Amino acid sequence: MQAVFNSNRQSVVVLGMGGTIAGEGDDPSQTLTYQAGARSVARLMADLPLQCRAQIEATGCAVIGESVAQIDSKDIQWTHWWDLARRVVHWLDEPSVQGLVVTHGTDTLEETAWFLDQVLGHRTRFKPVVITCAMRPATAADADGPQNLADAVVVAASGAVRGVVVCVAGEVFSAQAVQKVHPTRVNAFDGGPVSHIATVHSGVFQRENPDDALPLVSQSRWDRWLTPETPIPKQPWVECVWHTGAASSQLLPLLASAGVDGVVVAATGNGTVNEEWLMQLQSMSVAGVAVRCATRCSHGALVGDKEKGQTFSGLAFYPELNAVKSRVQLCLDLL
Ligand code: SIN
């Protein structure tokens, strides 16, 4: 189903994936119990309040809506990521499309953002993909979704960003930096040390520092190969494991003997693991399991041997990626 308003030549396409932004509950005062993903994008757009419509209309862009999925993002699967990427590519290739918005659940939004960033690569160098979400369902009296959706359309239409970015609670983050840091508050995201790259308030988009580079958009292995019909590749089996105090010595050998393709260790501090885990990880690596390290700290990047791209104890890591995004990256690298 498509919903359109404005009839100008340039358009912004809104692709729906579900989430709380499309959530429905019985009681407008209730913001924590509801069904995520209950509403289509067409319904979200039809219900936008007047001030949000006015902000969108001021962009001069037509808005087209398409629901790709209506799920709670905790239920997202590998196939959903590829379905979304294929629809994004379809619309990016339309000459009249200026940019895309994706409405998504907050819980795994950062993984979808990084997945899209990686598979779309150069395809977004002139047209951004702006992901947005909400912490309160569409039925809440003080729903945050409508303004977030309007803000995301403003950003997508602005011509001032590129790549995959996330727009929430008036702030714009890069796909690499964004992370969900709070389970309930309305501004649940931050961008770590990078902070936000822009803001949008009442329909006005503003770069944080006009001299700052926009998010980098690099070529990827997939960007030229990805079409709306590309078959979905088989998902490699990659697990994310936490290294903790009193860490169990059984987990890694179990995974190795079960045939895991890769593991990402959310390691302590600056990428440390105990001696036993280090030895187990080294033997997994020798046996052909792809091993990557990340930090379980919520902020800050690992510092290690830059030339080798390894921690000081010799575990490979993806610079600047947290554990869940490292897992996405490793799945893609193993294709
Ligand atoms: C979800 O991630 O789909 C549910 C939670 C949310 O969107 O805040």
Side-chain angles (χ1 to χ4, degrees), residues 18-21 34 36 71-74 104-108 134-135 180:
T20 296
I21 192 168
Y34 52 85
I71 54 170
D72 186 315
S73 77
K74 70 177 167 47
H104 197 287
T106 59
D107 287 339
T108 60
M135 291 297 287
K180 186 172 180 181

Side-chain angles (χ1 to χ4, degrees), residues 11-293:
S11 48
V12 169
V13 177
V14 181
L15 297 179
M17 290 299 288
T20 296
I21 192 168
E24 273 184 0
D26 297 332
D27 176 357
S29 68
Q30 185 48 262
T31 59
L32 296 176
T33 51
Y34 52 85
Q35 190 200 335
R39 294 194 172 175
S40 67
V41 166
R43 173 81 192 274
L44 298 188
M45 294 201 309
D47 287 353
L48 281 176
L50 279 180
Q51 82 273 11
C52 292
R53 288 179 159 265
Q55 289 160 12
I56 290 176
E57 265 154 30
T59 68
C61 280
V63 178
I64 301 169
E66 177 183 308
S67 289
V68 178
Q70 285 184 236
I71 54 170
D72 186 315
S73 77
K74 70 177 167 47
D75 298 322
I76 202 158
Q77 298 295 329
W78 178 251
T79 48
H80 290 117
W81 283 341
W82 288 99
D83 284 343
L84 175 61
R86 294 191 299 190
R87 292 312 294 158
V88 168
V89 161
H90 164 86
W91 286 110
L92 283 176
D93 286 350
E94 286 288 317
S96 62
V97 169
Q98 174 123 349
L100 267 79
V101 168
V102 176
T103 56
H104 197 287
T106 59
D107 287 339
T108 60
L109 178 147
E110 64 200 75
E111 288 153 82
T112 301
W114 188 248
F115 177 85
L116 289 179
D117 184 283
Q118 288 303 290
V119 298
L120 296 171
H122 257 181
R123 299 285 268 272
T124 58
R125 67 194 185 283
F126 302 121
K127 301 180 179 186
V129 176
V130 185
I131 309 180
T132 193
C133 55
M135 291 297 287
R136 296 174 180 152
T139 44
D142 50 359
D144 51 331
Q147 188 61 58
N148 283 347
L149 177 51
D151 287 348
V153 173
V154 167
V155 175
S158 69
V161 287
R162 64 186 176 208
V164 177
V165 296
V166 173
C167 176
V168 54
E171 295 182 306
V172 181
F173 305 98
S174 72
Q176 184 177 56
V178 72
Q179 55 186 355
K180 186 172 180 181
V181 293
H182 199 280
T184 54
R185 74 179 189 213
V186 172
N187 58 339
F189 288 84
D190 82 14
V194 182
S195 186
H196 52 261
I197 52 177
T199 57
V200 53
H201 290 299
S202 308
V204 180
F205 173 82
Q206 235 175 351
R207 295 274 297 281
E208 189 59 14
N209 175 355
D211 298 330
D212 276 353
L214 294 160
L216 277 178
V217 177
S218 356
Q219 225 158 353
S220 84
R221 263 172 67 203
W222 301 276
D223 55 12
R224 262 178 289 169
W225 157 82
L226 189 63
T227 73
E229 286 83 37
T230 303
I232 298 179
K234 185 171 177 293
Q235 181 180 9
W237 178 18
V238 177
E239 292 295 343
C240 216
V241 296
W242 273 55
H243 179 254
T244 60
S248 155
S249 57
Q250 296 167 49
L251 178 62
L252 295 173
L254 276 176
L255 286 171
S257 61
V260 75
D261 297 311
V263 282
V264 173
V265 186
T268 26
N270 189 28
T272 58
V273 290
N274 68 30
E275 272 305 309
E276 187 168 42
W277 270 48
L278 187 58
M279 280 185 334
Q280 291 175 344
L281 289 166
Q282 284 164 343
S283 41
M284 285 171 91
S285 180
V286 169
V289 178
V291 175
R292 295 291 183 279
C293 187

